[in-house]
Amino acid sequence: MENEKLKRSFIQKIANFCKRKGFVFPCCEIYGGFSGFYDFGPLGVELKKNIKDEWWNTFVRQRDDVVGIDGCTVTHSMIWKASGHVESFTDPLVECKKCHKRFRGDHLIEDAIGLSVDGITIEQINEIIKKHNLKCPNCKGELTSAKAFNLMFKTFVGAVEDDAHIAYLRPETAQLIFTDFRLVMEVSRLRPPFGIAQIGRVYRNEISPRDFLFRLREFEQMEIEYFVHPDRVNECPYLTEELLNFEMNVYSAEMQQKGEKVKKMSLREILEKNIIKTKWHGYWLALMYKWFMDLGVNPEKLRIRQHLPEERSHYALDTWDIEYRFPFGWKEIHGMANRTTFDLTQHMKFSGKDLRYFDEKTKEKIIPYVVAEPSQGVERAFLTFIIDAYTEEEDRIVLKLHPKLAPYKVAVFPLVSKDGLDEKAKEIHNTLKKKFACFYDDKGSIGRRYARQDEIGTPFCITVDYQTMEDNTVTIRDRNTKEQVRIKITNLESIIRKLIEGEIKFSELKKQNSI
Ligand code: GAP
């Protein structure tokens, strides 16, 4: 309960901060808000776009074996019959017999007795509710038995509202990759091993959306389906020495069952000990873990956790989540299932279309095998980056976002708005904004202006002062250390670019003579 209170107040603080600074607003606030829906404000939309761009650049543009699609969000009902979502995409729902408020059974148990019960069955939920005599958290009324509630939003397409015209708002982007699979393979002339990526909106009618951006009803996913030959799940040509030596905090199903602690292991050790069953699965997990680290997330707050058998989705042979240690506990920020040939087999059955490919080596027609499905919510990544970066120091709040993610890369200030300093600063701002997201500010004291940029994560601030008018140099200030260095205006653009890309460190700037 204490943990629950801590979690609520922390999440509320972050939500207030995000609203105050223009990152995230409650949707339709003028009508009292809309639970599970959030809008992104001027800074939020930039941060979100930067996250998606970083993901797309890393996993699509910089690879020869992954191509992208952008599928529809209103989708044919047959997709979801074939995929099993109509039948199995459910959460346990309990209702109060007195006030008729509805709750997600496993969350109700978690909140009431602090027991994490991810993935337990409806029968187990009913047993726990009975055993602990749990009541409605709202009015202490008696609860109904739990029943399965389907999370898909249903709608009708066209003017007739009958069963033949039912469509679903997609609850995951993955299925559109499977339904487009044959066309993508034909036009891109790729054969397994290869991947198809997608970033797009999805919808889930969550029973109890909560924890700000953590559990939403509308959100975006970034997903890849990676297809291999079913007999070649271990033939991964990208396992470099560097990646094999890459270390992750590991929590396998066996370790959880035996009550052991999380252990740091290299990918090599994980694969050699058969903790992750296929090399491709290990490879993609390491890449995604590294992606978060390369964008500044504290590695000590990351771990990979294997699903217990009862937690796994109906389509998964093996699933590993990447979890982040939020101030209120470890939570999933990224999922990665081995989906086998399940989805393509189902779509072949339901559509009657052949989705196999011709394997040149064996001269056989093969159903591609999804060895790994890297899948994450953009908003959960957003929350992770914000929480990891949010720092309260004695005299300021500073958002230590990685420069690549920061909404503004640079802010330009005139020390005072007179004697031509403001014109010079505007000139610099006009040049830099063609290259970087750049902010101009001449309001208030210089200290206040720095503080405003620190709070929204701007990594570098440029100040034009009287010396600028004499020698065409400006000061550049580092957000994290507050250190300042003088540099020539002519070098500004290349220095800022190198700082953002990590090609030089700010501390090194000081040591250079002619900058
Ligand atoms: N295609 C696989 C799939 O959709 P999932 O574990 O249901 O798997 C993948 O979702 C990711 O989507 C999660 O790791 C999480 O980051 C994000 N996600 C899932 N449900 C969410 C929700 N209600 N609100 C925000 N993000 C969510």
Side-chain angles (χ1 to χ4, degrees):
M1 281 312 248
E2 206 37 51
N3 188 33
E4 194 54 29
K5 265 196 220 150
L6 204 72
K7 162 181 159 173
R8 297 265 169 256
S9 73
F10 180 78
I11 278 282
Q12 200 48 52
K13 179 161 81 174
I14 292 295
N16 291 345
F17 169 79
C18 285
K19 184 177 165 193
R20 187 163 47 85
K21 290 287 139 193
F23 282 97
V24 184
F25 306 133
C27 178
C28 309
E29 203 196 33
I30 58 167
Y31 293 107
F34 198 29
S35 181
F37 297 89
Y38 282 92
D39 295 338
F40 287 79
L43 295 185
V45 73
E46 293 290 339
L47 173 54
K48 205 174 179 208
K49 186 174 179 311
N50 293 341
I51 294 171
K52 290 189 282 184
D53 285 351
E54 280 302 317
W55 189 91
W56 194 263
N57 282 336
T58 309
F59 301 115
V60 184
R61 294 226 171 117
Q62 287 170 26
R63 298 187 65 107
D64 300 325
D65 61 339
V66 180
V67 289
I69 64 160
D70 185 9
C72 288
T73 58
V74 179
T75 51
H76 201 296
S77 62
M78 285 305 284
I79 298 181
W80 309 104
K81 283 188 189 137
S83 70
H85 282 72
V86 171
E87 174 110 358
S88 310
F89 195 57
T90 58
D91 272 339
L93 173 79
V94 290
E95 190 175 333
C96 172
K97 289 183 183 168
K98 200 164 130 199
C99 71
H100 298 289
K101 219 170 159 180
R102 293 174 153 204
F103 305 93
R104 194 172 136 172
D106 50 345
H107 286 174
L108 184 129
I109 291 172
E110 215 175 294
D111 293 350
I113 55 177
L115 190 67
S116 181
V117 289
D118 254 6
I120 61 165
T121 62
I122 296 233
E123 291 71 35
Q124 287 167 319
I125 286 181
N126 287 332
E127 269 169 37
I128 297 176
I129 290 180
K130 204 164 152 201
K131 183 173 160 202
H132 292 270
N133 195 20
L134 299 184
K135 299 283 184 224
C136 168
N138 189 43
C139 73
K140 303 276 172 270
E142 205 178 314
L143 298 165
T144 62
S145 300
K147 61 175 188 199
F149 173 78
N150 196 293
L151 299 184
M152 284 196 294
F153 281 100
K154 213 187 252 183
T155 187
F156 298 95
V157 172
V160 186
E161 293 197 359
D162 64 9
D163 283 359
H165 294 83
I166 287 175
Y168 294 99
L169 301 193
R170 63 179 181 183
E172 62 169 10
T173 58
Q175 291 308 321
L176 281 291
I177 294 178
F178 298 125
T179 53
D180 284 349
F181 173 77
R182 200 173 63 164
L183 291 169
V184 176
M185 196 170 64
E186 275 166 17
V187 297
S188 57
R189 290 187 290 123
L190 285 167
R191 294 293 177 269
F194 80 96
I196 304 177
Q198 184 171 196
I199 299 180
R201 282 186 188 265
V202 299
Y203 303 84
R204 295 184 184 184
N205 196 7
E206 295 281 352
I207 298 167
S208 46
R210 57 189 199 168
D211 297 338
F212 186 37
L213 299 179
F214 192 80
R215 193 167 301 284
L216 299 167
R217 287 180 166 140
E218 175 176 347
F219 57 100
E220 285 187 86
Q221 280 188 323
M222 309 192 275
E223 291 195 310
I224 299 171
E225 301 302 322
Y226 202 83
F227 302 95
V228 302
H229 186 293
D231 296 340
R232 297 174 206 150
V233 293
N234 280 314
E235 292 177 24
C236 175
Y238 307 121
L239 285 172
T240 57
E241 273 305 295
E242 190 193 345
L243 204 61
L244 285 166
N245 291 332
F246 179 72
E247 289 187 329
M248 295 184 273
N249 296 313
V250 181
Y251 204 24
S252 68
E254 194 182 330
M255 290 159 87
Q256 293 165 61
Q257 282 154 345
K258 286 186 178 164
E260 291 174 10
K261 289 209 173 106
V262 173
K263 206 174 150 199
K264 186 168 280 183
M265 289 185 206
S266 68
L267 178 59
R268 187 193 311 280
E269 193 183 349
I270 295 169
L271 293 174
E272 279 173 5
K273 290 190 173 155
N274 211 20
I275 293 171
I276 296 175
K277 300 286 180 290
T278 75
K279 286 192 176 158
W280 273 112
H281 204 165
Y283 164 77
W284 278 107
L285 267 168
L287 278 201
M288 291 295 160
Y289 196 103
K290 194 167 172 310
W291 183 78
F292 280 105
M293 275 173 57
D294 289 348
L295 289 172
V297 173
N298 180 349
E300 292 318 311
K301 292 188 175 177
L302 289 171
R303 72 177 185 189
I304 51 170
R305 187 184 74 81
Q306 188 177 24
H307 279 202
L308 296 167
E310 61 271 25
E311 273 180 82
R312 286 200 297 260
S313 305
H314 61 277
Y315 50 74
L317 180 69
D318 186 18
T319 301
W320 286 78
D321 288 340
I322 299 177
E323 296 187 331
Y324 177 77
R325 182 154 55 81
F326 288 97
F328 45 87
W330 289 98
K331 299 279 169 195
E332 171 193 348
I333 56 172
H334 186 295
M336 198 182 297
N338 174 341
R339 287 182 90 125
T340 68
T341 54
F342 175 84
D343 300 271
L344 288 181
T345 306
Q346 285 295 100
H347 286 300
M348 289 209 305
K349 210 182 329 170
F350 278 71
S351 70
K353 300 284 182 322
D354 188 358
L355 303 177
R356 294 174 300 171
Y357 75 102
F358 184 75
D359 185 57
E360 289 295 341
K361 216 158 142 189
T362 58
K363 308 289 179 211
E364 280 172 327
K365 283 192 120 184
I366 301 287
I367 305 174
Y369 184 101
V370 175
V371 71
E373 181 203 42
S375 168
Q376 62 170 307
V378 179
E379 290 77 359
R380 276 198 200 173
F382 186 108
L383 190 64
T384 305
F385 288 123
I386 286 261
I387 287 181
D388 203 69
Y390 181 88
T391 315
E392 285 177 1
E393 292 181 356
E394 227 167 70
D395 57 343
R396 63 173 184 164
I397 289 173
V398 53
L399 201 57
K400 295 184 175 176
L401 286 171
H402 191 287
K404 286 183 181 169
L405 298 181
Y408 291 115
K409 310 300 178 207
V410 58
V412 183
F413 315 142
L415 183 65
V416 288
S417 291
K418 58 180 186 182
D419 301 332
L421 270 61
D422 42 355
E423 274 102 47
K424 190 78 186 166
K426 275 182 193 151
E427 197 184 299
I428 293 171
H429 174 241
N430 284 334
T431 308
L432 291 182
K433 77 181 179 192
K434 292 181 189 132
K435 303 286 174 188
F436 314 103
C438 186
F439 190 79
Y440 178 83
D441 192 3
D442 57 8
K443 310 267 179 333
S445 72
I446 200 81
R448 241 347 268 142
R449 283 182 261 167
Y450 283 142
R452 279 201 290 265
Q453 296 306 316
D454 290 346
E455 245 188 315
I456 62 170
T458 309
F460 310 110
C461 291
I462 311 286
T463 301
V464 169
D465 55 18
Y466 283 102
Q467 191 176 329
T468 310
M469 309 309 274
E470 285 163 23
D471 63 5
N472 270 318
T473 63
V474 288
T475 62
I476 179 165
R477 173 186 178 271
D478 177 49
R479 173 198 65 202
N480 290 6
T481 59
K482 301 184 196 171
E483 277 191 25
Q484 296 190 29
V485 181
R486 274 205 100 80
I487 57 176
K488 289 178 187 158
I489 293 173
T490 44
N491 291 344
L492 257 181
E493 190 186 312
S494 78
I495 285 176
I496 293 169
R497 193 190 55 72
K498 284 182 190 161
L499 286 169
I500 294 169
E501 293 299 325
E503 288 169 23
I504 42 164
K505 290 203 171 73
F506 197 88
S507 53
E508 288 162 15
L509 277 186
K510 275 206 145 159
K511 293 179 204 145
Q512 294 179 12
N513 287 330
S514 169
I515 49 173

